[in-house]
Structure formats: structure tokens, C-alpha cells
Amino acid sequence: MTVADPRPAQAIPLPPDLYGGKHGDRTLRLLDAMVNARMRWTAFTNRRDVAPRADDRRIRVRVVERQMRAHDNDVVSLRLAAVDGRRLPAWRPGAHLDLELPSGRLRQYSLCGDPADTRTYRIAVRRIPDGGGGSNEIHREITVGSALVVRGPRNAFPFAVPGHGSPATRLRFVAGGIGITPILPMLRSAESLGVEWTMLYTGRARDTLPFLTEVERFGDRVTVRTDDRDGLPTGAELVHGVRPGTAVYCCGPAPMVGAVAAAVRDIPGVELHSERFSAPPVVDGMPFEIELARSGDVLRVPADRSALDVLLAHRPDQPYSCRQGFCRTCKVRVLAGSPDHRDSVLSPAERADGDLLACVSRCAGGRLVLDL
């Protein structure tokens, strides 16, 4: 996403829940609204009426390595190899896997290993105590030897190298906590190609930062900033030193991504590429109901929750990925009711056919009957 806005940027301090917490923070809602508006405009101007072909490739893998990657023991990495020993499909920096867990849950994790390694994939998972159970299941039950199924790889956060798909001449990476995972392969790619780059890695404290040893091997290109030592960063501090001709790659919590987006608005000629690891808060939501046509179950969706959240509580294998309305993974079919479409990718024809993205879209009133 390329940011170009004539209005001046503000040095907006980040709210106290930068790394996950309260969803009612007014600053968070303001920043999320700005990011969402830009994402919708970019997606609309690049939208095609023909939906991209879904990659439903399923690969049986086995865990061949399991390591703790943060000193607080809340981040574990898994190295996965094909059960039959075959080479794995190629991937590029920014890609992720859909991981089918033994419970039936489907979760998405960024690939953080080496794209040149065709025999194994590496992912990392931060334990979230109240995060719906996927991360806890991995930390508690998945060990070396565990058999799993993955889908993909898929890429919703592609890396365009300066001189090889991007007009930028230098790179700036900003990672917050577990947001380092898609950034790591980008760092290695930029370094191997001799591209000028710098990085800011931020989190609550050093012991919460995964892969810190790997990151610090890049030397003074990397700045590590932690809240316990330096306080919460402002958006201006997150992009300090960014100038025209820079491509910014940012991944982490929604407030951090929003602060970076706001901070670069007044810098001409800056590309902003971002990925959030949490869903944006629901704005102006009204409660409604969803009926699952095949079972007759009726679920109530509160004003401050998405239809996807409610569906996942009822059936944890419901597929999803971006939770922001642009990847189509959570698409469902509406059989009756008046949808309030809030996505940024479905064409008018798709909406007329009954398609709806459960992660962001809602009901214009009453009840939606879904083909589930």
C-alpha cells in the first residue's frame, strides 16, 4: 500500500494496549479507521471481477524440531517436513501456512525460515492465554514427531525488493513482537541482495522478543527498542530516519501498524506495506443473528464482535486468515437476510450471488441465514 496524503502527520503516542489488550481505546480506533480506509481504497482500485483461484493444496507434515524462541517461554518454533520426505512447495518472504490442528482448528502462521530450504518449513507461535485455544494447543500438545496437515503456502504480505519490483531505493522494517516472523526472511533477502535497509524491533521487554539472537546478528542495521526501558514509542519514533524513496514493511499489533501508517502520511514517495496479527475493532456495529441453515442453529453476534468470532466459538474449524476483509478465506454464502458488506475485495456480482466475508461484514438488520 502506497501512502500519499497532504495532511500533516502527528506524533501520535501509542495506547497502553499496543501489544494486545483493551479494544475500546479511542486512539486505537482512530488509527485503525485510517488504516482500514487506505486498505479499502487500494483494494478497490486494484480489484478484479474474477476471484483468484484458491490454493487448496494440503500437505501432510511431521514436526522435526521444536524450540523456544523467547526467554519468557511464550514463543515456540516448529520445523515441519513432509511425511514422505518430498520437497516442499516453494515460497517467498511474507508467505504463511494454514495449519490444521488435531482439534480441527485452522490457524495461520507466517513462514520464518529460509525460502531456499526446500525440505522444511519453520513457523513460530506465541502463546495467547485467551486467544481461542489454537496457540495453547500448539504449546501444550504439539511435540517433535506430531503429524499435522498444512495448506499453502499463501502470500498476503509479498516482499517487493527495490530494483526488482519496487521503485524504492531503500528499505525500513518495523516489527512488533511476534510480528518479526514474516520480516525475518525479508531481512535475509535484503541482506543477500545488497539492498540498503534498517530495522526497528520493538516489544514489551527483551525477554519477550522472539528470534532476538538471529535479528541482532545483522549488527547496527537493527535497533531494538523495548517499552520497559524506553517507554511506549510514538509513530514518529517508529519511522525515525525514513525519507522519500523508502519502502516500509511493518508487521505487528494493530495499534503499532496504525501509528506507522499515520507517521508516514506526510513523507512523500514512501511505500507502506503492512500486516497485522490481530483483527481491527468493530466500529459502529449493531447486534444481529446468524442462522446455520444446515443445522438450524441460531447464533447471536454482539455489537462489538464479528460474525467470524461467533462462528469460531461454535465451530473452531471455520477457515479464516487475514480477519481484515481482503483475503477471502472466510467467505460464506448468504441464503437469506440483508448483508452489510464491509470487505474490500468482493465484486458486485459476487455480492449479488450471496458471497460474504464473515470476518468484517455484518447484517443490515435482523438475521442472516448462512449455508453452513
Side-chain angles (χ1 to χ4, degrees):
M1 178 174 67
T2 301
V3 175
D5 194 300
R7 292 173 291 180
Q10 302 293 324
I12 302 177
L14 298 183
D17 59 333
L18 172 61
Y19 304 106
K22 300 175 182 177
H23 293 286
D25 186 275
R26 184 170 299 182
T27 304
L28 183 152
R29 290 179 179 272
L30 173 62
L31 295 176
D32 263 310
M34 290 191 289
V35 173
N36 285 335
R38 295 192 177 282
M39 287 172 57
R40 289 175 183 274
W41 174 249
T42 302
F44 175 78
T45 55
N46 290 281
R47 187 178 65 196
R48 302 181 186 275
D49 287 338
V50 179
R53 181 180 63 84
D55 183 355
D56 292 325
R57 169 176 53 204
R58 299 173 79 244
I59 308 167
R60 295 182 61 80
V61 298
R62 194 173 302 280
V63 178
V64 296
E65 178 187 272
R66 186 184 192 275
Q67 291 187 9
M68 285 297 172
R69 294 293 180 173
H71 291 298
D72 64 359
N73 291 329
D74 274 346
V75 178
V76 64
S77 73
L78 304 177
R79 194 172 292 277
L80 313 171
V83 169
D84 58 7
R86 73 174 63 180
R87 291 180 181 271
L88 296 167
W91 59 280
R92 294 184 179 182
H96 69 272
L97 293 176
D98 299 339
L99 183 65
E100 297 181 14
L101 297 176
S103 65
R105 295 181 176 94
L106 182 67
R107 295 293 183 266
Q108 289 68 37
Y109 299 105
S110 295
L111 285 161
C112 57
D114 184 356
D117 180 0
T118 60
R119 295 295 182 180
T120 66
Y121 290 144
R122 186 177 72 168
I123 61 172
V125 182
R126 177 176 290 284
R127 175 167 41 206
I128 304 173
D130 57 352
S135 66
N136 290 304
E137 180 178 353
I138 289 173
H139 276 255
R140 183 176 59 249
E141 301 178 18
I142 305 303
T143 61
V144 172
S146 294
L148 300 167
V149 174
V150 298
R151 306 178 192 176
R154 315 175 196 271
N155 203 329
F157 188 33
F159 180 47
V161 180
H164 302 269
S166 168
T169 58
R170 67 191 67 85
L171 297 165
R172 173 58 173 258
F173 300 101
V174 182
I178 194 63
I180 190 62
T181 49
I183 297 293
L184 262 177
M186 297 182 185
L187 298 182
R188 299 189 188 100
S189 179
E191 184 76 1
S192 65
L193 293 171
V195 178
E196 179 185 345
W197 65 271
T198 58
M199 176 187 171
L200 178 67
Y201 189 16
T202 184
R204 293 190 187 96
R206 286 182 65 89
D207 66 354
T208 69
L209 296 178
F211 300 105
L212 185 58
T213 301
E214 290 187 27
V215 171
E216 291 189 322
R217 287 175 186 159
F218 290 104
D220 58 8
R221 290 177 182 266
V222 175
T223 299
V224 177
R225 189 188 197 285
T226 57
D227 301 346
D228 61 346
R229 184 184 62 194
D230 305 305
L232 285 170
T234 64
E237 289 170 333
L238 291 170
V239 298
H240 177 71
V242 171
R243 59 189 191 276
T246 303
V248 178
Y249 284 81
C250 177
C251 185
M256 187 196 77
V257 175
V260 169
V264 301
R265 292 170 63 203
D266 200 36
I267 308 175
V270 172
E271 297 176 18
L272 175 60
H273 307 263
S274 62
E275 184 172 54
R276 298 186 289 199
F277 278 177
S278 59
V282 177
V283 179
D284 299 328
M286 297 291 291
F288 64 98
E289 294 179 340
I290 50 179
E291 178 181 339
L292 310 187
R294 301 182 198 177
S295 65
D297 293 336
V298 176
L299 311 177
R300 183 179 180 277
V301 182
D304 60 349
R305 297 185 67 196
S306 71
L308 177 63
D309 286 338
V310 174
L311 282 171
L312 288 172
H314 184 74
R315 42 175 297 171
D317 61 338
Q318 180 69 23
Y320 71 92
S321 184
C322 74
R323 304 186 74 150
Q324 298 166 50
F326 61 80
C327 79
R328 300 171 182 262
T329 304
C330 68
K331 184 172 67 174
V332 295
R333 179 61 57 89
V334 177
L335 301 179
S338 302
D340 174 14
H341 292 285
R342 300 189 177 191
D343 67 273
S344 52
V345 294
L346 293 180
S347 69
E350 289 172 314
R351 293 179 178 182
D353 285 342
D355 289 345
L356 176 136
L357 299 192
C359 67
V360 292
S361 297
R362 306 184 69 79
C363 180
R367 177 184 294 184
L368 293 178
V369 180
L370 305 181
D371 186 19
L372 293 172

